Amino acid sequence: MSINFPLLLVIAVAVCGVLALVDLVLLAPRRRAAIAAYEGQVGEPDPVVLDKLNKEPLLVEYGKSFFPVLAIVLVLRSFLVEPFQIPSGSMKPTLEVGDFILVNKFAYGIRLPVADTKVVEVGDPQRGDVMVFRYPSDPNINYIKRVIGLPGDRIAYSSDKRLTVNGEPVAEKLLGEEPGTLGSAMLYQEKLGEAEHLIRKEMKRYRMEPGREWVVPAEHYFMMGDNRDNSNDSRYWNDPRIPRELLGMVPDRNIVGKAFAVWMSWPDPKLRNLPNFSRVGLIH
C-alpha cells in the first residue's frame, strides 16, 4: 500500500495548528478567567488548584508541542531539501543501492505541497541533471534518473548502445571493465550537456529493438538510468492509459527536484551493518 507522506504531513500540521489556535482563542482565556475567579474567592491560592485550573487538555498540549516541529519539517521538505534513499541499482555507478541523497526542491520551481502546483518559476531541468520525479504510471512512486531529453529533442538509442540527441552522438569515453565483472560490464565517461558522469553498460545484454526514436513533447522530459542495461526508464515504460506520443515521457508537473548530494550510505540494514560516509559528496 502506498502512503502519501506529504498529504499526511500537511494534515498533521493543519490539525496541530487548529488545536493551537483553539487554545489561543478559546481555551486559554477560559483558563485565565477561571484562575482569576478562584484567586478572587480565596485569600491564599492553593498552587495545586492553580496548576489544575491552568492545565491544558492533553490533546491541546500534544498539538501545541508538535505544531512547530511539524511545520518546520513541512517547509524544509516541501520547499527546500528532501531526503531520499536509493532502492535499486538503476543509477550505478553514480548512485549505489542504499545511498541517502538530498534533493533540491526549488531548483525547478517552488511548488505547493500535495497539489504540486508550481507557484514560482526558478529554473528548468538541464540535460544531464539527476532528477527525482513521480513515476507517470503511478505518481505515488518516486523515481530517480538522468535527464536525457528536453522538450523538442529527438532521442535515439541504437542496438550498439549508442545514445544520440538531435542527430548528434553523445560523447563517451571507454574507461575499462567494471571491477569484478570479468569484462561483462564496461564503464564509460559520458558528457551530456555540461554534465560529465560515469555510465555502465552490459556488453552481452540487449533489452530493446534497434532504431528506436522518441520526440520529447513540450513540458515533458526523457529520462534514462546511468546503468543503461538495468534501468526501468523512458525507453521501456508502457501504459495503455497514456497516449502513445507521451509514452516514456515525464511531465513537468511530476518533477520533485534535483538530486545534488549523497550524505550517507546504508546498503543493507538487515545485515546489521552500520551506515557509512565513504560515498559522501556531490552528485555529477
Side-chain angles (χ1 to χ4, degrees):
M1 180 177 66
S2 298
I3 298 176
N4 192 332
F5 181 75
L7 178 59
L8 293 179
L9 183 58
V10 169
I11 292 173
V13 171
V15 170
C16 291
V18 168
L19 290 173
L21 183 62
V22 168
D23 184 66
L24 178 67
V25 174
L26 185 62
L27 301 183
R30 288 182 181 179
R31 293 196 300 271
R32 290 193 293 267
I35 291 173
Y38 169 69
E39 291 177 336
Q41 294 172 359
V42 298
E44 186 70 28
D46 186 341
V48 176
V49 176
L50 288 176
D51 286 343
K52 185 177 180 179
L53 291 174
N54 195 41
K55 185 173 179 59
E56 300 171 341
L58 187 61
L59 194 59
V60 169
E61 183 180 350
Y62 280 125
K64 291 176 65 177
S65 299
F66 286 125
F67 176 71
V69 176
L70 293 175
I72 290 173
V73 171
L74 177 63
V75 170
L76 286 177
R77 77 181 304 278
S78 298
F79 304 114
L80 298 176
V81 174
E82 184 175 359
F84 288 89
Q85 185 181 16
I86 303 301
S88 72
S90 70
M91 283 297 292
K92 292 178 65 175
T94 303
L95 297 171
E96 298 284 348
V97 175
D99 281 350
F100 285 77
I101 65 170
L102 296 176
V103 173
N104 183 331
K105 296 298 291 288
F106 60 86
Y108 304 136
I110 297 176
R111 301 168 188 265
L112 296 176
V114 181
D116 293 314
T117 303
K118 188 185 293 186
V119 292
V120 178
E121 294 282 351
V122 177
D124 295 316
Q126 300 299 306
R127 196 176 290 114
D129 287 356
V130 177
M131 189 169 80
V132 174
F133 56 93
R134 297 189 308 280
Y135 181 39
S137 293
D138 186 354
N140 291 317
I141 301 175
N142 290 312
Y143 271 34
I144 181 167
K145 307 291 179 186
R146 193 174 294 276
V147 179
I148 303 296
L150 305 178
D153 282 349
R154 181 178 294 274
I155 309 298
Y157 197 73
S158 64
S159 59
D160 59 353
K161 304 178 187 289
R162 288 306 308 271
L163 174 63
T164 302
V165 177
N166 295 325
E168 295 292 331
V170 173
E172 62 179 31
K173 177 183 177 182
L174 176 62
L175 300 180
E177 66 181 58
E178 182 182 52
T181 64
L182 300 177
S184 64
M186 308 299 286
L187 298 179
Y188 293 77
Q189 180 172 305
E190 182 180 78
K191 182 174 175 56
L192 193 61
E194 298 300 319
E196 290 191 8
H197 52 275
L198 299 182
I199 62 172
R200 178 181 186 271
K201 299 181 184 181
E202 294 189 11
M203 308 316 294
K204 297 180 180 180
R205 185 172 185 179
Y206 297 89
R207 290 183 57 190
M208 63 180 302
E209 68 276 13
R212 191 80 183 275
E213 289 190 351
W214 303 262
V215 176
V216 186
E219 299 184 352
H220 286 73
Y221 298 90
F222 189 91
M223 313 297 298
M224 289 174 60
D226 290 347
N227 192 357
R228 292 291 159 83
D229 298 298
N230 283 284
S231 174
N232 180 24
D233 53 39
S234 291
R235 295 169 293 172
Y236 308 112
W237 297 336
N238 188 16
D239 188 334
R241 299 169 299 175
I242 297 177
R244 182 174 178 80
E245 65 274 13
L246 299 181
L247 274 178
M249 306 300 164
V250 175
D252 181 81
R253 64 179 179 273
N254 283 39
I255 293 176
V256 173
K258 180 181 180 180
F260 68 92
V262 175
W263 64 275
M264 186 180 77
S265 292
W266 198 355
D268 193 350
K270 295 179 181 178
L271 297 179
R272 298 183 180 179
N273 56 356
L274 295 176
N276 68 81
F277 301 92
S278 60
R279 291 181 44 76
V280 171
L282 297 178
I283 296 173
H284 299 287

